Short mmCIF file of all heavy atoms in Angstrom, two decimals:
data_model
loop_
_atom_site.label_atom_id
_atom_site.label_comp_id
_atom_site.label_asym_id
_atom_site.label_seq_id
_atom_site.Cartn_x
_atom_site.Cartn_y
_atom_site.Cartn_z
N LEU A 175 94.62 86.75 99.01
CA LEU A 175 94.57 87.96 99.83
C LEU A 175 95.86 88.22 100.60
O LEU A 175 96.16 89.37 100.95
CB LEU A 175 93.40 87.87 100.82
CG LEU A 175 92.00 87.98 100.20
CD1 LEU A 175 90.94 87.55 101.21
CD2 LEU A 175 91.73 89.40 99.72
N THR A 176 96.61 87.19 100.89
CA THR A 176 97.86 87.36 101.63
C THR A 176 99.09 87.29 100.74
O THR A 176 100.22 87.39 101.23
CB THR A 176 97.97 86.28 102.73
OG1 THR A 176 97.89 84.98 102.14
CG2 THR A 176 96.87 86.43 103.76
N ASP A 177 98.87 87.13 99.44
CA ASP A 177 99.99 87.06 98.51
C ASP A 177 100.58 88.46 98.28
O ASP A 177 99.84 89.41 97.99
CB ASP A 177 99.52 86.47 97.17
CG ASP A 177 100.68 86.00 96.30
OD1 ASP A 177 101.62 86.79 96.10
OD2 ASP A 177 100.63 84.85 95.85
N PRO A 178 101.91 88.62 98.39
CA PRO A 178 102.51 89.95 98.20
C PRO A 178 102.61 90.39 96.75
O PRO A 178 103.03 91.51 96.47
CB PRO A 178 103.91 89.77 98.81
CG PRO A 178 104.21 88.32 98.64
CD PRO A 178 102.89 87.61 98.81
N ASP A 179 102.24 89.52 95.81
CA ASP A 179 102.32 89.89 94.41
C ASP A 179 101.55 91.18 94.14
O ASP A 179 100.38 91.30 94.52
CB ASP A 179 101.75 88.77 93.55
CG ASP A 179 101.80 89.11 92.07
OD1 ASP A 179 102.87 88.94 91.46
OD2 ASP A 179 100.77 89.56 91.53
N PRO A 180 102.17 92.19 93.49
CA PRO A 180 101.51 93.49 93.27
C PRO A 180 100.20 93.39 92.51
O PRO A 180 99.26 94.14 92.78
CB PRO A 180 102.56 94.27 92.47
CG PRO A 180 103.86 93.63 92.80
CD PRO A 180 103.56 92.19 93.00
N VAL A 181 100.13 92.46 91.57
CA VAL A 181 98.89 92.32 90.81
C VAL A 181 97.75 91.87 91.70
O VAL A 181 96.64 92.40 91.66
CB VAL A 181 99.08 91.33 89.63
CG1 VAL A 181 97.76 91.07 88.92
CG2 VAL A 181 100.11 91.87 88.64
N LEU A 182 98.02 90.88 92.56
CA LEU A 182 96.98 90.41 93.48
C LEU A 182 96.65 91.46 94.53
O LEU A 182 95.49 91.60 94.93
CB LEU A 182 97.43 89.11 94.15
CG LEU A 182 97.37 87.86 93.27
CD1 LEU A 182 98.00 86.67 93.98
CD2 LEU A 182 95.92 87.54 92.89
N ARG A 183 97.65 92.20 94.98
CA ARG A 183 97.40 93.26 95.96
C ARG A 183 96.46 94.32 95.40
O ARG A 183 95.69 94.94 96.13
CB ARG A 183 98.71 93.92 96.39
CG ARG A 183 99.68 93.01 97.12
CD ARG A 183 99.24 92.66 98.51
NE ARG A 183 99.13 93.83 99.38
CZ ARG A 183 98.53 93.83 100.56
NH1 ARG A 183 97.95 92.73 100.99
NH2 ARG A 183 98.48 94.92 101.29
N ALA A 184 96.53 94.54 94.08
CA ALA A 184 95.70 95.56 93.43
C ALA A 184 94.34 95.02 93.00
O ALA A 184 93.48 95.80 92.57
CB ALA A 184 96.44 96.14 92.23
N THR A 185 94.15 93.73 93.09
CA THR A 185 92.87 93.14 92.67
C THR A 185 91.81 93.40 93.73
O THR A 185 92.03 93.11 94.91
CB THR A 185 93.03 91.62 92.48
OG1 THR A 185 94.03 91.36 91.50
CG2 THR A 185 91.70 91.00 92.02
N PRO A 186 90.66 93.94 93.36
CA PRO A 186 89.60 94.19 94.35
C PRO A 186 89.20 92.91 95.08
O PRO A 186 89.21 91.81 94.50
CB PRO A 186 88.44 94.73 93.50
CG PRO A 186 89.10 95.28 92.27
CD PRO A 186 90.29 94.40 92.01
N ILE A 187 88.85 93.07 96.34
CA ILE A 187 88.50 91.90 97.15
C ILE A 187 87.31 91.16 96.56
O ILE A 187 87.28 89.92 96.53
CB ILE A 187 88.22 92.33 98.60
CG1 ILE A 187 89.54 92.74 99.27
CG2 ILE A 187 87.55 91.21 99.39
CD1 ILE A 187 89.38 93.30 100.67
N HIS A 188 86.32 91.90 96.06
CA HIS A 188 85.15 91.21 95.51
C HIS A 188 85.53 90.40 94.27
O HIS A 188 84.92 89.35 93.98
CB HIS A 188 84.05 92.22 95.17
CG HIS A 188 84.37 93.12 94.02
ND1 HIS A 188 84.17 92.75 92.69
CD2 HIS A 188 84.89 94.38 93.99
CE1 HIS A 188 84.55 93.76 91.91
NE2 HIS A 188 84.98 94.74 92.66
N ALA A 189 86.57 90.86 93.52
CA ALA A 189 87.02 90.11 92.33
C ALA A 189 87.71 88.81 92.75
O ALA A 189 87.57 87.78 92.06
CB ALA A 189 87.95 90.96 91.49
N ILE A 190 88.45 88.85 93.84
CA ILE A 190 89.08 87.63 94.34
C ILE A 190 88.01 86.63 94.78
O ILE A 190 88.08 85.42 94.50
CB ILE A 190 90.04 87.95 95.49
CG1 ILE A 190 91.29 88.64 94.94
CG2 ILE A 190 90.43 86.68 96.27
CD1 ILE A 190 92.29 89.07 95.98
N GLY A 191 86.97 87.14 95.47
CA GLY A 191 85.88 86.26 95.86
C GLY A 191 85.20 85.62 94.66
O GLY A 191 84.93 84.42 94.64
N ALA A 192 84.95 86.43 93.63
CA ALA A 192 84.29 85.92 92.41
C ALA A 192 85.16 84.90 91.71
O ALA A 192 84.66 83.91 91.16
CB ALA A 192 83.95 87.08 91.49
N ARG A 193 86.48 85.11 91.72
CA ARG A 193 87.40 84.18 91.07
C ARG A 193 87.28 82.79 91.67
O ARG A 193 87.44 81.79 90.96
CB ARG A 193 88.83 84.70 91.24
CG ARG A 193 89.90 83.72 90.77
CD ARG A 193 91.29 84.26 91.07
NE ARG A 193 91.55 85.48 90.35
CZ ARG A 193 92.58 86.30 90.61
NH1 ARG A 193 93.41 86.01 91.61
NH2 ARG A 193 92.77 87.39 89.92
N TRP A 194 86.98 82.73 92.96
CA TRP A 194 86.92 81.44 93.62
C TRP A 194 85.50 80.99 93.94
O TRP A 194 85.27 80.23 94.87
CB TRP A 194 87.79 81.47 94.90
CG TRP A 194 89.22 81.66 94.57
CD1 TRP A 194 90.01 82.74 94.84
CD2 TRP A 194 90.05 80.74 93.85
NE1 TRP A 194 91.27 82.55 94.34
CE2 TRP A 194 91.33 81.33 93.73
CE3 TRP A 194 89.83 79.47 93.31
CZ2 TRP A 194 92.39 80.71 93.07
CZ3 TRP A 194 90.88 78.84 92.66
CH2 TRP A 194 92.14 79.45 92.55
N GLY A 195 84.55 81.48 93.15
CA GLY A 195 83.19 80.92 93.23
C GLY A 195 82.23 81.64 94.14
O GLY A 195 81.16 81.10 94.45
N PHE A 196 82.58 82.87 94.59
CA PHE A 196 81.67 83.68 95.40
C PHE A 196 81.27 84.92 94.59
O PHE A 196 81.90 85.98 94.74
CB PHE A 196 82.34 84.11 96.72
CG PHE A 196 82.62 82.99 97.66
CD1 PHE A 196 83.88 82.41 97.72
CD2 PHE A 196 81.63 82.50 98.51
CE1 PHE A 196 84.16 81.38 98.59
CE2 PHE A 196 81.90 81.46 99.39
CZ PHE A 196 83.17 80.89 99.43
N PRO A 197 80.27 84.86 93.74
CA PRO A 197 79.93 85.99 92.88
C PRO A 197 79.36 87.18 93.64
O PRO A 197 79.40 88.31 93.15
CB PRO A 197 78.90 85.41 91.91
CG PRO A 197 78.32 84.24 92.63
CD PRO A 197 79.41 83.69 93.46
N ARG A 198 78.82 86.96 94.86
CA ARG A 198 78.25 88.05 95.65
C ARG A 198 79.21 88.41 96.79
O ARG A 198 79.57 87.55 97.61
CB ARG A 198 76.88 87.65 96.19
CG ARG A 198 75.83 87.55 95.09
CD ARG A 198 74.48 87.10 95.64
NE ARG A 198 74.51 85.70 96.05
CZ ARG A 198 74.37 84.68 95.21
NH1 ARG A 198 74.19 84.91 93.91
NH2 ARG A 198 74.40 83.44 95.65
N ALA A 199 79.61 89.67 96.82
CA ALA A 199 80.61 90.13 97.78
C ALA A 199 80.18 89.90 99.22
O ALA A 199 80.98 89.51 100.08
CB ALA A 199 80.92 91.61 97.54
N ALA A 200 78.91 90.15 99.52
CA ALA A 200 78.44 90.00 100.90
C ALA A 200 78.52 88.54 101.34
O ALA A 200 78.92 88.24 102.48
CB ALA A 200 77.00 90.51 101.02
N GLU A 201 78.17 87.63 100.46
CA GLU A 201 78.26 86.21 100.78
C GLU A 201 79.70 85.79 101.03
O GLU A 201 80.01 85.03 101.96
CB GLU A 201 77.67 85.39 99.63
CG GLU A 201 77.77 83.89 99.84
CD GLU A 201 77.37 83.10 98.61
OE1 GLU A 201 76.88 83.72 97.64
OE2 GLU A 201 77.58 81.87 98.60
N PHE A 202 80.62 86.30 100.19
CA PHE A 202 82.03 85.99 100.36
C PHE A 202 82.53 86.49 101.70
O PHE A 202 83.21 85.77 102.45
CB PHE A 202 82.83 86.62 99.22
CG PHE A 202 84.33 86.52 99.38
CD1 PHE A 202 84.93 85.30 99.65
CD2 PHE A 202 85.13 87.65 99.25
CE1 PHE A 202 86.31 85.20 99.80
CE2 PHE A 202 86.50 87.55 99.39
CZ PHE A 202 87.10 86.33 99.67
N SER A 203 82.18 87.73 102.05
CA SER A 203 82.66 88.32 103.30
C SER A 203 82.15 87.53 104.50
O SER A 203 82.90 87.26 105.44
CB SER A 203 82.21 89.77 103.39
OG SER A 203 82.72 90.37 104.56
N ARG A 204 80.86 87.14 104.47
CA ARG A 204 80.31 86.38 105.60
C ARG A 204 80.99 85.02 105.75
O ARG A 204 81.37 84.61 106.85
CB ARG A 204 78.80 86.18 105.40
CG ARG A 204 77.95 87.39 105.71
CD ARG A 204 76.49 86.98 105.86
NE ARG A 204 75.99 86.31 104.66
CZ ARG A 204 75.45 86.93 103.63
NH1 ARG A 204 75.34 88.26 103.65
NH2 ARG A 204 74.99 86.25 102.59
#
């Protein structure tokens, strides 16, 4: 989320959460 890489900046937050084992966005956010 803090990486300046353009690809990561364009990746949806819920996709980043899923990439690291949080398939549900609400659970990741909490």
Side-chain angles (χ1 to χ4, degrees):
L175 289 167
T176 57
D177 197 309
D179 179 81
V181 174
L182 285 173
R183 296 288 298 167
T185 301
I187 289 175
H188 69 84
I190 288 177
R193 172 185 297 167
W194 295 112
F196 293 97
R198 291 178 289 278
E201 177 188 352
F202 173 51
S203 183
R204 283 196 302 272

